[in-house]
Amino acid sequence: MKPSIVTKPAFEAIGMRYYGKNEKGEITELWKIFMKEIASLGMDESAFKECYGLMGPMDKEGNFEYIACAPARHFEKIPENMVKKEISQSKYLVFTHIGSLETLHDTFDFIYNRYLPNSEYEAKWNTYHFEFYDERFNDFKENSELDIFVPVK
């Protein structure tokens, strides 16, 4: 799996936040709640075709922030139960995960434990890494795709 290198402009996203270790599938539940919530807001279907999973830095206990979100342009205002995040422009390594979400941990393991330690790149740990979901994603198909953006120095 060879990543592409891109510079992504700054963007704003609005979504629902989780903080913890994801030991009981809390992130999957967060996505279900988030998708129901944006559907209840009567949003344009395009809001469902471009979503982000923002992952904040991990603390010493293994807890991290995760935000299931969509671009801010789809929202007229920030719903009471959601947060807005601004992501600065950065250079990213972009890896494409192909397969179901059940094998996503294997892709993360490859990126962080095999690829990065043996590459010329150093990850930025003080900013968000993120998953990008678009029309290629359908977790119920083996050929489902999503991109993982890793900010690098």
Side-chain angles (χ1 to χ4, degrees), residues 8 11 13-18 27-28 30-31 34-35 47 50-57 64-71 83 85 87 92 101 104 108 112 127-134 137 146-151:
K8 182 166 178 53
F11 67 97
I14 295 176
M16 300 181 90
R17 181 182 183 269
Y18 164 78
I27 291 174
T28 300
L30 179 70
W31 274 107
F34 175 68
M35 296 308 270
E50 182 182 358
C51 291
Y52 297 94
L54 302 178
M55 298 167 283
F64 62 98
E65 177 183 43
Y66 186 95
I67 302 171
C69 53
V83 296
K85 291 292 176 180
I87 308 301
Y92 294 91
L101 288 178
L104 185 57
F108 278 108
Y112 293 106
T127 188
Y128 289 97
H129 297 214
F130 59 88
E131 304 153 343
F132 174 70
Y133 299 88
D134 61 13
F137 179 74
L146 66 98
D147 293 325
I148 299 167
F149 284 67
V150 178

